[in-house]
Amino acid sequence: MDILLERYAELIVRSALKLSKGDVLSINAEEENSELAHYIAKLAKDITGNGSYIQNIENGKVTETEEAESEYPINLRPTALLYLPVYRQSGKAEEEKLFSPPEIQSYRHLSEPLDNPEPSIPFVTAPVPSEAWGRMIDEEWGMRESAVLLSDLLSLSEDTYLEERREMEDILLYERDRLNEKGYARCRIEDEEGSDISFSFLPGSAFATTVTTLRSGRRFIPTVYASDIFRAIDPASAEGYFTITHPVMVFGHMIRNLSCRVEKGRIVDFTTDEESGRMLSLFLQQDENAGRLSELILAEEGTAAANTEIFALPEWDRMRGVALTAGGPRPESLISDEARSKANDSLLTLTFPIGSDTATITAITDDGDEYVIMEDGFMKEE
């Protein structure tokens, strides 16, 4: 196994899952990622003192469970979960139809249920470099491209890669708490790249981040990497227009140029090339709320994610700067029953990156006080 994957494995167990003494890890992996799964089990044993369960996945089902790095039956329930998926490349949608939830999931557009219960144990999904993933990013470079992206995103070529992740976590949590102190009610995004849009935050929501904290106080990062802060939007409130500043994948097709007009929270018109327009129209037709804006995402410019054109993974693509989500929002920012009942309810989700180093984001309190919270692509201190 090369040093990149070894460091990636170390980051998964120490930074993303934050395993500790006494933990029991359960790993779901397909045969293609079996070697990495066993290496992670070995690292986990050094930290936890326990073996790990490795569950072999075929066609989405567990076919066999192995107890790795343990001379005796483990006889303990897992306290942390890891999934090492094999990247599946979905071809561009050709038919004008309503897709089933499994089909929507195959294109990575399936939203999360808004009534998702809070997690009780850490869980992480860690994508692994592969030819299929690389070809989605760049047809010519294949495996090399996905490996390079992974290394750049997580600073795996630097000896300080673990320290950098810890620093990013602390910054995100600090910025999240600082934003929530003000009690912002509304927001406006202005950008020379072609965006001017205003909206209200959903009552009963709060700023959240992908860094997840359990009730026990234990932190983990379900997507391995995190650089975003997000909050739900009142689904009937957005007015204005926006222009994407990075490509976005829609039903297997990469849209590179897109401007949209929004009225009463809904995308009502857009400008792009013919094929991209067909794909976006297909998305918007899937259910009545797919075209409503539901979430603001804040991520700073100058990061490895912001400097990446596309990952072809929604969980990382949404961290390439300021972004707006259409369809279903993530449930983590919905902190009250009122927010969960009034949040945009859609089977689909799609995030549009609209940030750049010319963006200015102004947040307004209920009292009418205005604060610039992001400027020139960076969070702004008062």
Side-chain angles (χ1 to χ4, degrees):
M1 184 175 300
D2 64 29
I3 190 171
L4 182 150
L5 282 181
E6 290 178 359
R7 289 187 168 190
Y8 187 37
E10 188 83 19
L11 188 142
I12 289 169
V13 300
R14 293 189 181 277
S15 176
L17 285 166
K18 291 184 174 58
L19 295 182
S20 59
K21 185 71 175 178
D23 272 333
V24 178
L25 178 60
S26 178
I27 307 170
N28 284 10
E30 298 180 48
E31 182 62 31
E32 184 175 327
N33 292 330
S34 177
E35 182 182 3
L36 179 60
H38 282 84
Y39 184 76
I40 289 173
K42 182 176 182 299
L43 293 180
K45 176 66 174 292
D46 294 339
I47 298 169
T48 68
N50 290 320
S52 297
Y53 298 103
I54 297 180
Q55 298 191 101
N56 182 60
I57 305 296
E58 292 182 11
N59 299 318
K61 297 181 179 180
V62 176
T63 60
E64 182 183 8
T65 299
E66 172 189 355
E67 298 188 0
E69 298 297 321
S70 180
E71 296 179 4
Y72 307 100
I74 298 174
N75 290 330
L76 295 169
R77 289 188 176 184
T79 62
L81 306 175
L82 172 63
Y83 178 37
L84 301 175
V86 171
Y87 192 96
R88 303 296 182 193
Q89 185 171 354
S90 296
K92 185 174 67 175
E94 299 295 342
E95 298 181 52
E96 299 286 343
K97 67 171 186 176
L98 296 180
F99 294 100
S100 67
E103 289 173 320
I104 295 171
Q105 176 63 19
S106 72
Y107 289 106
R108 299 176 173 83
H109 292 318
L110 191 65
S111 64
E112 298 179 55
L114 296 181
D115 58 354
N116 258 4
E118 292 184 7
S120 58
I121 63 175
F123 65 91
V124 169
T125 299
V128 182
S130 68
E131 287 289 342
W133 181 15
R135 284 196 299 271
M136 283 295 290
I137 303 165
D138 188 305
E139 184 67 32
E140 180 180 354
W141 288 101
M143 170 71 101
R144 179 181 180 276
E145 187 66 19
S146 61
V148 168
L149 277 186
L150 185 70
S151 180
D152 289 347
L153 183 70
L154 300 171
S155 303
L156 297 179
S157 62
E158 305 294 330
D159 291 338
T160 57
Y161 65 101
L162 290 175
E163 289 80 0
E164 288 186 25
R165 290 296 92 221
R166 283 194 289 269
E167 290 174 7
M168 176 62 81
E169 280 184 56
D170 291 340
I171 291 170
L172 285 173
L173 294 171
Y174 166 77
E175 295 291 359
R176 177 204 64 187
D177 293 344
R178 193 167 62 85
L179 287 169
N180 281 326
E181 286 176 359
K182 291 291 186 182
Y184 294 124
R186 298 182 301 282
C187 189
R188 181 180 182 183
I189 303 172
E190 302 167 276
D191 196 333
E192 294 176 8
E193 297 292 331
S195 296
D196 189 346
I197 189 165
S198 300
F199 48 83
S200 298
F201 292 117
L202 187 66
S205 69
F207 288 98
T209 178
T210 298
V211 178
T212 302
T213 304
L214 301 176
R215 289 188 177 182
S216 65
R218 181 171 179 174
R219 282 164 31 186
F220 68 99
I221 307 176
T223 57
V224 181
Y225 174 84
S227 66
D228 62 330
I229 297 169
F230 56 92
R231 186 175 177 183
I233 293 172
D234 183 325
S237 68
E239 297 280 348
Y241 56 88
F242 66 84
T243 299
I244 64 170
T245 49
H246 288 84
V248 59
M249 296 289 295
V250 182
F251 285 125
H253 171 76
M254 192 180 299
I255 298 178
R256 296 185 178 275
N257 298 287
L258 173 69
S259 294
C260 296
R261 182 164 58 88
V262 180
E263 295 179 358
K264 296 180 180 179
R266 187 185 297 276
I267 296 173
V268 295
D269 193 18
F270 55 83
T271 302
T272 186
D273 62 87
E274 182 178 355
E275 186 60 14
S276 296
R278 188 177 77 84
M279 289 295 104
L280 183 57
S281 293
L282 183 60
F283 178 89
L284 299 177
Q285 293 164 6
Q286 292 302 306
D287 70 42
E288 63 178 357
N289 288 326
R292 287 194 179 276
L293 298 186
S294 62
E295 182 180 76
L296 166 68
I297 299 172
L298 304 176
E300 292 189 323
E301 299 291 318
T303 65
N307 293 328
T308 299
E309 184 179 60
I310 194 164
F311 292 103
L313 293 168
E315 57 268 33
W316 289 351
D317 283 333
R318 69 187 181 215
M319 301 183 196
R320 292 172 294 172
V322 177
L324 292 169
T325 296
R330 282 170 285 174
E332 289 85 352
S333 74
L334 309 175
I335 60 174
S336 72
D337 291 340
E338 177 190 17
R340 284 186 285 272
S341 67
K342 294 184 177 180
N344 193 47
D345 188 12
S346 175
L347 192 64
L348 294 92
T349 189
L350 177 64
T351 296
F352 298 100
I354 66 168
S356 77
D357 58 8
T358 64
T360 299
I361 302 181
T362 305
I364 305 100
T365 67
D366 275 326
D367 296 329
D369 296 326
E370 297 188 3
Y371 299 87
V372 175
I373 59 174
M374 284 194 76
E375 193 170 38
D376 302 325
F378 291 91
M379 301 296 294
K380 186 175 175 63
E381 292 279 358
E382 296 176 18

